[in-house]
Amino acid sequence: MSANTSSSCCACGTNRALWLTPAEFIPAAERYNVMPAIDRWVVRQALDRLVHRIGAGVKPFTIAVNLSGTSLNDERFLEYLIAELSNTDLAAGAMCFEITETAAIANLGIVGWHFMRELKARGCHFALE
């Protein structure tokens, strides 16, 4: 998820809902370390849609999901992705993970390469944004 997308998030209170743009909620989500949870939700939604559409006879396609730098360093997030991907029957290249240049540079150590290598071995692609 990146701050320049047109996605939105709903923060519901007791009496009203407040719609926020990614530029408004991502800094707070990063500050309070909830981006891996948000990334998990986004990945699950993307996989569900891919599986549903392929099951409906739609020709294979690639869906891109932006990942936060925080998730790249979270070993549990990698384990989650591996488990989710192993539960689906997607063609190689069906999932592309977008990483900002800043996150890629900050996470190019052993953890970042391990993350990318593990997911590439499962047919995922990566793109810099």
Side-chain angles (χ1 to χ4, degrees):
M1 298 177 58
S2 70
N4 61 357
T5 64
S6 61
S7 302
S8 59
C9 176
C10 175
C12 298
T14 55
N15 296 325
R16 64 184 181 139
L18 174 65
W19 290 96
L20 304 171
T21 65
E24 295 170 316
F25 77 82
I26 287 177
E30 289 173 339
R31 187 175 320 115
Y32 295 104
N33 201 29
V34 295
M35 282 308 298
I38 292 170
D39 285 347
R40 281 181 180 84
W41 182 86
V42 171
V43 166
R44 180 70 259 149
Q45 296 302 308
L47 288 172
D48 285 348
R49 281 168 177 70
L50 276 170
V51 170
H52 174 73
R53 289 185 179 222
I54 291 169
V58 175
K59 290 193 325 187
F61 61 94
T62 300
I63 191 166
V65 174
N66 293 21
L67 295 179
S68 68
T70 308
S71 293
L72 296 177
N73 284 320
D74 184 347
E75 187 67 28
R76 291 173 299 166
F77 183 73
L78 177 59
E79 292 168 4
Y80 171 81
L81 285 177
I82 291 169
E84 290 296 316
L85 290 167
S86 68
N87 290 331
T88 60
D89 188 24
L90 299 176
M95 286 293 294
C96 177
F97 293 107
E98 296 179 352
I99 302 169
T100 65
E101 292 174 8
T102 304
I105 290 169
N107 296 292
L108 274 182
I110 295 170
V111 172
W113 286 118
H114 173 68
F115 184 94
M116 292 175 69
R117 190 172 37 253
E118 288 293 322
L119 294 176
K120 281 185 150 199
R122 289 160 176 80
C124 297
H125 292 227
F126 286 87
L128 287 178
E129 66 165 10

mmCIF file of all heavy atoms in Angstrom, residues 26-55:
data_model
loop_
_atom_site.group_PDB
_atom_site.id
_atom_site.type_symbol
_atom_site.label_atom_id
_atom_site.label_comp_id
_atom_site.label_asym_id
_atom_site.label_seq_id
_atom_site.Cartn_x
_atom_site.Cartn_y
_atom_site.Cartn_z
ATOM 1 N N ILE A 26 -1.414 5.938 6.683
ATOM 2 C CA ILE A 26 -0.201 5.117 6.673
ATOM 3 C C ILE A 26 0.854 5.614 7.665
ATOM 4 O O ILE A 26 1.433 4.801 8.385
ATOM 5 C CB ILE A 26 0.353 4.950 5.249
ATOM 6 C CG1 ILE A 26 -0.571 3.993 4.485
ATOM 7 C CG2 ILE A 26 1.787 4.420 5.260
ATOM 8 C CD1 ILE A 26 -0.202 3.779 3.046
ATOM 9 N N PRO A 27 1.125 6.918 7.763
ATOM 10 C CA PRO A 27 2.111 7.337 8.771
ATOM 11 C C PRO A 27 1.742 6.912 10.193
ATOM 12 O O PRO A 27 2.597 6.448 10.947
ATOM 13 C CB PRO A 27 2.136 8.865 8.629
ATOM 14 C CG PRO A 27 1.735 9.109 7.206
ATOM 15 C CD PRO A 27 0.703 8.046 6.917
ATOM 16 N N ALA A 28 0.475 7.004 10.544
ATOM 17 C CA ALA A 28 0.054 6.571 11.882
ATOM 18 C C ALA A 28 0.157 5.052 12.019
ATOM 19 O O ALA A 28 0.589 4.545 13.054
ATOM 20 C CB ALA A 28 -1.376 7.027 12.158
ATOM 21 N N ALA A 29 -0.213 4.328 10.966
ATOM 22 C CA ALA A 29 -0.126 2.866 11.006
ATOM 23 C C ALA A 29 1.325 2.415 11.157
ATOM 24 O O ALA A 29 1.608 1.455 11.879
ATOM 25 C CB ALA A 29 -0.743 2.272 9.739
ATOM 26 N N GLU A 30 2.242 3.114 10.481
ATOM 27 C CA GLU A 30 3.659 2.781 10.635
ATOM 28 C C GLU A 30 4.151 3.121 12.037
ATOM 29 O O GLU A 30 4.878 2.348 12.651
ATOM 30 C CB GLU A 30 4.484 3.511 9.574
ATOM 31 C CG GLU A 30 4.278 2.949 8.179
ATOM 32 C CD GLU A 30 4.945 3.766 7.088
ATOM 33 O OE1 GLU A 30 5.238 4.974 7.313
ATOM 34 O OE2 GLU A 30 5.160 3.208 6.004
ATOM 35 N N ARG A 31 3.749 4.263 12.532
ATOM 36 C CA ARG A 31 4.176 4.708 13.862
ATOM 37 C C ARG A 31 3.742 3.723 14.938
ATOM 38 O O ARG A 31 4.475 3.446 15.887
ATOM 39 C CB ARG A 31 3.603 6.094 14.158
ATOM 40 C CG ARG A 31 4.117 6.707 15.440
ATOM 41 C CD ARG A 31 3.631 8.148 15.665
ATOM 42 N NE ARG A 31 3.622 8.949 14.459
ATOM 43 C CZ ARG A 31 2.508 9.454 13.883
ATOM 44 N NH1 ARG A 31 1.325 9.251 14.411
ATOM 45 N NH2 ARG A 31 2.595 10.173 12.775
ATOM 46 N N TYR A 32 2.533 3.176 14.815
ATOM 47 C CA TYR A 32 2.005 2.263 15.821
ATOM 48 C C TYR A 32 2.178 0.794 15.430
ATOM 49 O O TYR A 32 1.587 -0.090 16.034
ATOM 50 C CB TYR A 32 0.539 2.594 16.120
ATOM 51 C CG TYR A 32 0.427 3.956 16.761
ATOM 52 C CD1 TYR A 32 -0.020 5.054 16.032
ATOM 53 C CD2 TYR A 32 0.823 4.155 18.075
ATOM 54 C CE1 TYR A 32 -0.097 6.315 16.612
ATOM 55 C CE2 TYR A 32 0.749 5.406 18.669
ATOM 56 C CZ TYR A 32 0.295 6.476 17.932
ATOM 57 O OH TYR A 32 0.233 7.718 18.499
ATOM 58 N N ASN A 33 3.035 0.568 14.435
ATOM 59 C CA ASN A 33 3.445 -0.778 14.012
ATOM 60 C C ASN A 33 2.277 -1.703 13.654
ATOM 61 O O ASN A 33 2.262 -2.872 14.020
ATOM 62 C CB ASN A 33 4.323 -1.423 15.097
ATOM 63 C CG ASN A 33 5.161 -2.541 14.523
ATOM 64 O OD1 ASN A 33 5.521 -2.521 13.349
ATOM 65 N ND2 ASN A 33 5.475 -3.529 15.345
ATOM 66 N N VAL A 34 1.298 -1.168 12.931
ATOM 67 C CA VAL A 34 0.185 -2.006 12.473
ATOM 68 C C VAL A 34 0.217 -2.260 10.964
ATOM 69 O O VAL A 34 -0.675 -2.926 10.445
ATOM 70 C CB VAL A 34 -1.195 -1.442 12.898
ATOM 71 C CG1 VAL A 34 -1.352 -1.466 14.399
ATOM 72 C CG2 VAL A 34 -1.416 -0.072 12.325
ATOM 73 N N MET A 35 1.248 -1.777 10.285
ATOM 74 C CA MET A 35 1.326 -2.013 8.842
ATOM 75 C C MET A 35 1.394 -3.496 8.486
ATOM 76 O O MET A 35 0.756 -3.913 7.520
ATOM 77 C CB MET A 35 2.489 -1.245 8.207
ATOM 78 C CG MET A 35 2.205 0.228 7.983
ATOM 79 S SD MET A 35 0.669 0.590 7.084
ATOM 80 C CE MET A 35 0.963 -0.198 5.514
ATOM 81 N N PRO A 36 2.130 -4.339 9.214
ATOM 82 C CA PRO A 36 2.093 -5.765 8.862
ATOM 83 C C PRO A 36 0.677 -6.347 8.916
ATOM 84 O O PRO A 36 0.310 -7.165 8.071
ATOM 85 C CB PRO A 36 3.023 -6.410 9.891
ATOM 86 C CG PRO A 36 4.014 -5.327 10.205
ATOM 87 C CD PRO A 36 3.170 -4.068 10.224
ATOM 88 N N ALA A 37 -0.133 -5.921 9.868
ATOM 89 C CA ALA A 37 -1.524 -6.406 9.944
ATOM 90 C C ALA A 37 -2.324 -5.904 8.747
ATOM 91 O O ALA A 37 -3.121 -6.647 8.165
ATOM 92 C CB ALA A 37 -2.172 -5.959 11.249
ATOM 93 N N ILE A 38 -2.109 -4.654 8.370
ATOM 94 C CA ILE A 38 -2.805 -4.110 7.203
ATOM 95 C C ILE A 38 -2.333 -4.835 5.943
ATOM 96 O O ILE A 38 -3.148 -5.222 5.101
ATOM 97 C CB ILE A 38 -2.577 -2.587 7.096
ATOM 98 C CG1 ILE A 38 -3.284 -1.876 8.256
ATOM 99 C CG2 ILE A 38 -3.061 -2.057 5.747
ATOM 100 C CD1 ILE A 38 -2.944 -0.417 8.391
ATOM 101 N N ASP A 39 -1.030 -5.051 5.814
ATOM 102 C CA ASP A 39 -0.508 -5.771 4.660
ATOM 103 C C ASP A 39 -1.063 -7.188 4.587
ATOM 104 O O ASP A 39 -1.374 -7.688 3.509
ATOM 105 C CB ASP A 39 1.023 -5.799 4.677
ATOM 106 C CG ASP A 39 1.644 -4.461 4.283
ATOM 107 O OD1 ASP A 39 0.924 -3.580 3.771
ATOM 108 O OD2 ASP A 39 2.864 -4.305 4.488
ATOM 109 N N ARG A 40 -1.212 -7.852 5.734
ATOM 110 C CA ARG A 40 -1.809 -9.196 5.748
ATOM 111 C C ARG A 40 -3.234 -9.157 5.198
ATOM 112 O O ARG A 40 -3.645 -10.012 4.416
ATOM 113 C CB ARG A 40 -1.830 -9.768 7.171
ATOM 114 C CG ARG A 40 -0.530 -10.329 7.637
ATOM 115 C CD ARG A 40 -0.673 -10.907 9.063
ATOM 116 N NE ARG A 40 0.567 -11.446 9.540
ATOM 117 C CZ ARG A 40 1.530 -10.734 10.116
ATOM 118 N NH1 ARG A 40 1.377 -9.437 10.303
ATOM 119 N NH2 ARG A 40 2.648 -11.311 10.511
ATOM 120 N N TRP A 41 -3.998 -8.180 5.645
ATOM 121 C CA TRP A 41 -5.381 -8.051 5.187
ATOM 122 C C TRP A 41 -5.425 -7.810 3.679
ATOM 123 O O TRP A 41 -6.223 -8.435 2.963
ATOM 124 C CB TRP A 41 -6.080 -6.921 5.941
ATOM 125 C CG TRP A 41 -7.522 -6.775 5.557
ATOM 126 C CD1 TRP A 41 -8.577 -7.451 6.091
ATOM 127 C CD2 TRP A 41 -8.051 -5.910 4.551
ATOM 128 N NE1 TRP A 41 -9.735 -7.053 5.461
ATOM 129 C CE2 TRP A 41 -9.442 -6.116 4.513
ATOM 130 C CE3 TRP A 41 -7.478 -4.989 3.668
ATOM 131 C CZ2 TRP A 41 -10.282 -5.429 3.635
ATOM 132 C CZ3 TRP A 41 -8.312 -4.308 2.790
ATOM 133 C CH2 TRP A 41 -9.697 -4.529 2.784
ATOM 134 N N VAL A 42 -4.571 -6.918 3.193
ATOM 135 C CA VAL A 42 -4.549 -6.609 1.763
ATOM 136 C C VAL A 42 -4.160 -7.848 0.956
ATOM 137 O O VAL A 42 -4.788 -8.160 -0.065
ATOM 138 C CB VAL A 42 -3.594 -5.429 1.469
ATOM 139 C CG1 VAL A 42 -3.394 -5.241 -0.026
ATOM 140 C CG2 VAL A 42 -4.128 -4.147 2.100
ATOM 141 N N VAL A 43 -3.143 -8.580 1.396
ATOM 142 C CA VAL A 43 -2.718 -9.794 0.696
ATOM 143 C C VAL A 43 -3.861 -10.808 0.671
ATOM 144 O O VAL A 43 -4.153 -11.408 -0.367
ATOM 145 C CB VAL A 43 -1.455 -10.402 1.343
ATOM 146 C CG1 VAL A 43 -1.200 -11.820 0.856
ATOM 147 C CG2 VAL A 43 -0.244 -9.512 1.065
ATOM 148 N N ARG A 44 -4.523 -11.010 1.807
ATOM 149 C CA ARG A 44 -5.631 -11.968 1.863
ATOM 150 C C ARG A 44 -6.744 -11.583 0.892
ATOM 151 O O ARG A 44 -7.302 -12.422 0.188
ATOM 152 C CB ARG A 44 -6.169 -12.043 3.298
ATOM 153 C CG ARG A 44 -7.308 -12.985 3.529
ATOM 154 C CD ARG A 44 -6.898 -14.460 3.437
ATOM 155 N NE ARG A 44 -7.290 -14.969 2.138
ATOM 156 C CZ ARG A 44 -6.663 -15.916 1.452
ATOM 157 N NH1 ARG A 44 -5.595 -16.495 1.919
ATOM 158 N NH2 ARG A 44 -7.081 -16.304 0.283
ATOM 159 N N GLN A 45 -7.084 -10.288 0.855
ATOM 160 C CA GLN A 45 -8.121 -9.812 -0.070
ATOM 161 C C GLN A 45 -7.697 -10.024 -1.521
ATOM 162 O O GLN A 45 -8.498 -10.463 -2.351
ATOM 163 C CB GLN A 45 -8.421 -8.328 0.182
ATOM 164 C CG GLN A 45 -9.006 -8.025 1.541
ATOM 165 C CD GLN A 45 -10.285 -8.781 1.796
ATOM 166 O OE1 GLN A 45 -11.213 -8.744 0.993
ATOM 167 N NE2 GLN A 45 -10.347 -9.481 2.905
ATOM 168 N N ALA A 46 -6.452 -9.729 -1.831
ATOM 169 C CA ALA A 46 -5.951 -9.902 -3.202
ATOM 170 C C ALA A 46 -5.982 -11.374 -3.608
ATOM 171 O O ALA A 46 -6.433 -11.717 -4.716
ATOM 172 C CB ALA A 46 -4.534 -9.349 -3.319
ATOM 173 N N LEU A 47 -5.520 -12.258 -2.735
ATOM 174 C CA LEU A 47 -5.534 -13.683 -3.046
ATOM 175 C C LEU A 47 -6.967 -14.202 -3.220
ATOM 176 O O LEU A 47 -7.236 -14.981 -4.137
ATOM 177 C CB LEU A 47 -4.795 -14.481 -1.971
ATOM 178 C CG LEU A 47 -3.284 -14.337 -1.974
ATOM 179 C CD1 LEU A 47 -2.690 -15.014 -0.746
ATOM 180 C CD2 LEU A 47 -2.672 -14.889 -3.252
ATOM 181 N N ASP A 48 -7.871 -13.769 -2.356
ATOM 182 C CA ASP A 48 -9.269 -14.185 -2.492
ATOM 183 C C ASP A 48 -9.834 -13.772 -3.839
ATOM 184 O O ASP A 48 -10.532 -14.543 -4.494
ATOM 185 C CB ASP A 48 -10.131 -13.587 -1.372
ATOM 186 C CG ASP A 48 -9.936 -14.267 -0.033
ATOM 187 O OD1 ASP A 48 -9.302 -15.354 0.013
ATOM 188 O OD2 ASP A 48 -10.400 -13.700 0.974
ATOM 189 N N ARG A 49 -9.527 -12.558 -4.265
ATOM 190 C CA ARG A 49 -10.045 -12.075 -5.545
ATOM 191 C C ARG A 49 -9.420 -12.822 -6.724
ATOM 192 O O ARG A 49 -10.106 -13.147 -7.690
ATOM 193 C CB ARG A 49 -9.829 -10.576 -5.673
ATOM 194 C CG ARG A 49 -10.880 -9.824 -4.874
ATOM 195 C CD ARG A 49 -10.554 -8.357 -4.718
ATOM 196 N NE ARG A 49 -11.578 -7.618 -4.017
ATOM 197 C CZ ARG A 49 -11.873 -7.709 -2.737
ATOM 198 N NH1 ARG A 49 -11.236 -8.565 -1.988
ATOM 199 N NH2 ARG A 49 -12.810 -6.976 -2.181
ATOM 200 N N LEU A 50 -8.123 -13.094 -6.628
ATOM 201 C CA LEU A 50 -7.470 -13.864 -7.690
ATOM 202 C C LEU A 50 -8.087 -15.248 -7.821
ATOM 203 O O LEU A 50 -8.428 -15.693 -8.917
ATOM 204 C CB LEU A 50 -5.972 -13.998 -7.409
ATOM 205 C CG LEU A 50 -5.073 -12.871 -7.845
ATOM 206 C CD1 LEU A 50 -3.679 -13.063 -7.274
ATOM 207 C CD2 LEU A 50 -5.007 -12.779 -9.353
ATOM 208 N N VAL A 51 -8.220 -15.936 -6.712
ATOM 209 C CA VAL A 51 -8.769 -17.293 -6.720
ATOM 210 C C VAL A 51 -10.213 -17.274 -7.221
ATOM 211 O O VAL A 51 -10.607 -18.104 -8.038
ATOM 212 C CB VAL A 51 -8.659 -17.930 -5.320
ATOM 213 C CG1 VAL A 51 -9.442 -19.228 -5.238
ATOM 214 C CG2 VAL A 51 -7.197 -18.161 -4.963
ATOM 215 N N HIS A 52 -10.998 -16.315 -6.765
ATOM 216 C CA HIS A 52 -12.397 -16.209 -7.168
ATOM 217 C C HIS A 52 -12.510 -15.976 -8.679
ATOM 218 O O HIS A 52 -13.301 -16.625 -9.350
ATOM 219 C CB HIS A 52 -13.097 -15.087 -6.396
ATOM 220 C CG HIS A 52 -14.487 -14.817 -6.859
ATOM 221 N ND1 HIS A 52 -15.538 -15.666 -6.586
ATOM 222 C CD2 HIS A 52 -14.998 -13.816 -7.616
ATOM 223 C CE1 HIS A 52 -16.639 -15.178 -7.147
ATOM 224 N NE2 HIS A 52 -16.339 -14.056 -7.765
ATOM 225 N N ARG A 53 -11.726 -15.060 -9.204
ATOM 226 C CA ARG A 53 -11.811 -14.745 -10.628
ATOM 227 C C ARG A 53 -11.314 -15.879 -11.500
ATOM 228 O O ARG A 53 -11.878 -16.164 -12.537
ATOM 229 C CB ARG A 53 -11.056 -13.463 -10.932
ATOM 230 C CG ARG A 53 -11.791 -12.269 -10.372
ATOM 231 C CD ARG A 53 -11.138 -10.990 -10.760
ATOM 232 N NE ARG A 53 -11.908 -9.906 -10.209
ATOM 233 C CZ ARG A 53 -12.177 -8.804 -10.856
ATOM 234 N NH1 ARG A 53 -11.713 -8.629 -12.064
ATOM 235 N NH2 ARG A 53 -12.884 -7.864 -10.295
ATOM 236 N N ILE A 54 -10.239 -16.524 -11.070
ATOM 237 C CA ILE A 54 -9.733 -17.659 -11.840
ATOM 238 C C ILE A 54 -10.766 -18.779 -11.820
ATOM 239 O O ILE A 54 -11.027 -19.420 -12.839
ATOM 240 C CB ILE A 54 -8.361 -18.113 -11.306
ATOM 241 C CG1 ILE A 54 -7.316 -17.041 -11.633
ATOM 242 C CG2 ILE A 54 -7.961 -19.456 -11.900
ATOM 243 C CD1 ILE A 54 -5.982 -17.237 -10.942
ATOM 244 N N GLY A 55 -11.406 -19.003 -10.673
ATOM 245 C CA GLY A 55 -12.454 -20.015 -10.567
ATOM 246 C C GLY A 55 -13.662 -19.690 -11.432
ATOM 247 O O GLY A 55 -14.395 -20.575 -11.854
#
